[in-house]
Amino acid sequence: MKVDADGFSFNFTDALNAFIFDEKDKSKPTYHGQPMKAVDIVAEFDDAYVFVEMKDFDDPATYDVKDFSTEVELKAKRDGFKWLKNYLKYKYRDSYLFRHAEQKVEKPIHYICLLTFDNALNTAMRKALTKELPVGLASRRWNQEIVKSCQVVNVAKWNENFPKWPVTHTAAAGEA
Amino acid sequence: MLEKIKFERFTAFEKLEIKFSPGVNIFVGENGTGKTHILKAAYSACDIAKSKGGFAEKINNVFYPSGKQIGRLVKRSGASSKGSLEVTRKLEDGKKISLRLSLSNHTTKPEKATVSGSPKAWTENPMEAAYIPVKDMMANAPSFRSLYEEREIHFEEIYVDILRKAFLPLLKGPTDKARKQLLESLQEAMDGKVVAKNEEFFLRSKHGELEFTLLAEGFRKMGLLWILIQNGTLLNGAVLFWDEPETNLNPRLMKTVVGILLELQRLGVQIFLTTHDYVILKEFDLQTKNDDQILFHSLFRPKDTGEIEVSSTEDYLNLSPNAIDDTFGTIVDREIEKSMEGLGN
């Protein structure tokens, strides 16, 4: 099942369904249309759902920490990590709420963020997200997880680990 | 400025050529991919430009093969074989000159090895160079130099060379602004400045003078850098070699160290370093400005040949293979395997 979004092209070969979750086209049955944050793609499998969020850092200069002229500017760009973590976190939570209202949270959900960072930075991002989403039965009062697992990978790692869902990085959305 | 180095059947290398950046050259790779050998070979060539010693002898003293038999530096093979090493530099007038050492595995003494290229022009154009080894020598400075001069002790010459540089007298005249700033940022990180008394180094701070033997090794390294900047070893046109700067250095101090290395590069110092450390790589990636000249060299052994190869890039993200980040990659793999139980695989 092929899905193209934000400059990435996926093929979820074993999915029951896979679609653009934040669909903006009103004519489509998957139209989102609510003032909630939304992950890019939701894919459904026999025993799980997978939420996918992509962020291409080659594209917006905002995150380019190499391109700075003052220490203040550099600091602002480093704050980008914290900003991104919150961005990824709230996107997931709002999407979970939306799916809850759809009554589509009956299977475990895995959240995969596809970023253009190196593995070390992705590992740091995964650690922060795992704690803050939070992953698993985080509270003693919970009987249900809001997310089963969270992964943060680059394109190379995605393809190594998910050979049934090959992805290619096409031109980024909005890129000249 | 060093432009390139070429090895043929020398130590670990079958055939390898590396073009250098005039700025910072960072070597990464797993153990046994020859990172230190590249630094030592290039350093030897730089050192003789000023000391005017023989290239073969310098190489022999720096590599210190068993029994000081220089022929042992030829890459091992069953049959009789020949090896070579060639360093090319660019002079201030733009002219390029080379220094080449050729030897066979039967060459026992340095004087039997052949040095060709432009050895005369090489020494007519001296250059400053310093090599900071992995192991700290500053705390062992007292008497080490005289012991080394008088006795045959089993130490690679880089260890005594760096002490010789550290004991060079101060530069005459006022310290220029750029150098002063570098010294100040080091002083801030070390919380003091370095003084030498009777071949012994001390860190002088507001708490008094602390001998180097009582200092954390990380501070000793920063102290050494402070001395090399202060005594003018690291000026425009100089070359700094630093093997694994991260050793014993608190990751928090990396930011200062990398900042200083980048600033030295901006002042015209060519820098060569090896690292196994993610923080160093990332600090370079983060602190590099547009005009900085950084080249990452990845040394690796492809599975098919097993012989060392190099891949160089200016952009950290394109560094491949990246032995340091690949380690994080295996952690990513194991986390996915553990928590997704084969989904998508």
Side-chain angles (χ1 to χ4, degrees):
Chain A
M1 197 158 286
K2 289 189 178 175
V3 184
D4 289 345
D6 277 4
F8 293 91
S9 183
F10 295 86
N11 188 4
F12 297 95
T13 59
D14 60 340
L16 302 174
N17 190 14
F19 60 96
I20 295 178
F21 184 65
D22 59 347
E23 182 58 65
K24 291 178 179 64
D25 184 344
K26 286 185 182 173
S27 67
K28 294 199 172 160
T30 50
Y31 173 59
H32 187 280
Q34 293 307 311
M36 302 167 88
K37 296 179 191 311
V39 297
D40 291 318
I41 295 171
V42 166
E44 183 180 357
F45 301 89
D46 288 334
D47 300 316
Y49 290 109
V50 170
F51 288 13
V52 183
E53 175 62 30
M54 294 89 75
K55 198 80 194 154
D56 177 2
F57 286 87
D58 292 337
D59 186 18
T62 328
Y63 309 101
D64 187 359
V65 286
K66 278 193 281 182
D67 181 23
F68 62 92
S69 51
T70 63
E71 283 294 317
V72 177
E73 197 186 335
L74 176 64
K75 188 184 174 302
K77 291 192 170 189
R78 285 201 183 144
D79 285 345
F81 183 87
K82 194 175 159 195
W83 176 87
L84 177 66
K85 180 199 69 194
N86 287 334
Y87 171 90
L88 296 170
K89 176 169 78 184
Y90 295 121
K91 273 210 164 193
Y92 179 84
R93 289 200 196 150
D94 266 14
S95 303
Y96 179 86
L97 267 184
F98 193 108
R99 294 292 281 171
H100 170 80
E102 283 186 288
Q103 296 188 325
K104 297 276 191 190
V105 291
E106 79 288 4
K107 300 177 194 176
I109 309 169
H110 299 274
Y111 183 30
I112 313 179
C113 302
L114 181 61
L115 308 182
T116 47
F117 285 154
D118 61 24
N119 292 314
L121 202 47
N122 283 341
T123 308
M125 184 60 80
R126 178 192 186 268
K127 188 180 166 196
L129 280 175
T130 298
K131 198 173 159 196
E132 293 186 27
L133 281 167
V135 165
L137 289 174
S139 167
R140 271 187 290 181
R141 292 165 55 188
W142 290 6
N143 291 313
Q144 190 182 338
E145 296 163 335
I146 58 172
V147 58
K148 173 85 177 163
S149 86
C150 168
Q151 318 299 342
V152 183
V153 294
N154 52 35
V155 172
K157 274 287 153 218
W158 174 293
N159 283 324
E160 271 175 48
N161 283 285
F162 309 119
K164 285 185 186 161
W165 314 330
V167 63
T168 50
H169 191 187
T170 54
E175 204 171 69
Chain B
M1 185 202 93
L2 295 184
E3 193 158 274
K4 66 175 179 186
I5 196 162
K6 216 160 112 180
F7 299 96
E8 269 182 50
R9 303 196 60 76
F10 188 85
T11 64
F13 311 107
E14 180 64 31
K15 197 168 185 178
L16 187 76
E17 181 174 328
I18 306 172
K19 291 196 173 78
F20 299 136
S21 158
V24 182
N25 294 274
I26 303 167
F27 294 89
V28 300
E30 291 176 5
N31 283 331
T33 49
K35 300 184 295 295
T36 302
H37 287 191
I38 294 165
L39 261 59
K40 281 181 165 178
Y43 166 73
S44 302
C46 291
D47 183 79
I48 62 144
K50 191 171 183 204
S51 69
K52 314 212 184 297
F55 188 33
E57 194 178 357
K58 187 72 196 177
I59 285 282
N60 208 26
N61 290 343
V62 163
F63 280 86
Y64 216 111
S66 178
K68 278 210 168 174
Q69 290 182 54
I70 194 168
R72 293 182 64 83
L73 297 178
V74 173
K75 188 168 180 277
R76 307 293 157 79
S77 73
S80 158
S81 55
K82 288 183 175 168
S84 70
L85 152 67
E86 186 177 304
V87 184
T88 304
R89 66 189 268 220
K90 198 166 159 186
L91 301 176
E92 272 175 38
D93 60 8
K95 198 178 157 197
K96 291 177 187 177
I97 56 172
S98 295
L99 194 61
R100 185 183 165 87
L101 174 73
S102 314
L103 66 172
S104 90
N105 60 343
H106 298 303
T107 313
T108 50
K109 292 178 180 163
E111 50 270 30
K112 302 274 185 198
T114 311
V115 176
S116 53
S118 317
K120 193 162 172 279
W122 196 274
T123 50
E124 280 168 358
N125 292 277
M127 63 203 293
E128 280 291 351
Y131 186 109
I132 306 181
V134 180
K135 283 190 274 253
D136 161 70
M137 288 306 287
M138 299 293 282
N140 305 314
S143 320
F144 180 79
R145 279 193 305 162
S146 45
L147 181 67
Y148 188 90
E149 308 296 351
E150 288 165 20
R151 307 278 170 124
E152 179 70 24
I153 54 171
H154 200 99
F155 265 89
E156 296 142 63
E157 201 167 49
I158 46 169
Y159 292 105
V160 71
D161 279 358
I162 193 62
L163 288 178
R164 285 179 189 139
K165 304 276 176 196
F167 281 108
L168 285 175
L170 306 187
L171 269 193
K172 283 182 185 157
T175 311
D176 58 79
K177 197 177 154 205
R179 221 151 32 98
K180 213 168 167 182
Q181 273 180 353
L182 291 178
L183 292 173
E184 277 167 9
S185 55
L186 272 170
Q187 275 161 224
E188 203 179 304
M190 296 187 297
D191 196 22
K193 56 169 79 174
V194 183
V195 288
K197 286 181 187 173
N198 302 326
E199 295 229 338
E200 202 173 346
F201 292 106
F202 297 84
L203 184 74
R204 182 184 287 163
S205 70
K206 56 179 184 280
H207 308 298
E209 284 179 0
L210 202 58
E211 47 273 55
F212 263 49
T213 44
L214 298 181
L215 272 187
E217 285 219 17
F219 282 153
R220 294 181 201 166
K221 282 197 161 179
M222 295 190 94
L224 175 58
L225 193 58
W226 189 92
I227 291 168
L228 296 174
I229 293 170
Q230 201 232 16
N231 71 16
T233 301
L234 300 179
L235 291 180
N236 183 13
V239 189
L240 171 66
F241 299 88
W242 197 346
D243 202 2
E244 298 180 17
E246 68 268 23
T247 316
N248 300 315
L249 213 56
N250 181 324
R252 269 191 312 120
L253 295 175
M254 300 295 189
K255 187 181 167 200
T256 307
V257 168
V258 169
I260 285 168
L261 292 174
L262 281 168
E263 202 52 50
L264 282 171
Q265 169 250 171
R266 289 171 201 138
L267 296 174
V269 177
Q270 191 179 21
I271 296 169
F272 293 79
L273 52 94
T274 72
T275 186
H276 289 288
D277 187 74
Y278 175 72
V279 181
I280 289 216
L281 283 185
K282 203 63 205 170
E283 280 294 344
F284 271 105
D285 186 39
L286 289 173
Q287 294 191 46
T288 300
K289 293 183 184 171
N290 287 341
D291 295 335
D292 290 335
Q293 293 180 298
I294 316 285
L295 205 52
F296 298 94
H297 305 277
S298 168
L299 292 154
F300 60 100
R301 292 178 188 269
K303 283 201 177 98
D304 53 345
T305 63
E307 299 296 348
I308 299 166
E309 287 183 20
V310 68
S311 133
S312 307
T313 171
E314 288 174 8
D315 185 354
Y316 163 73
L317 271 181
N318 291 336
L319 182 64
S320 173
N322 179 341
I324 298 168
D325 196 52
D326 289 348
T327 309
F328 286 94
T330 62
I331 294 171
V332 172
D333 295 341
R334 286 161 59 197
E335 276 169 348
I336 290 173
E337 193 185 335
K338 187 178 168 193
S339 57
M340 291 191 64
E341 295 162 347
L343 202 60
N345 195 335

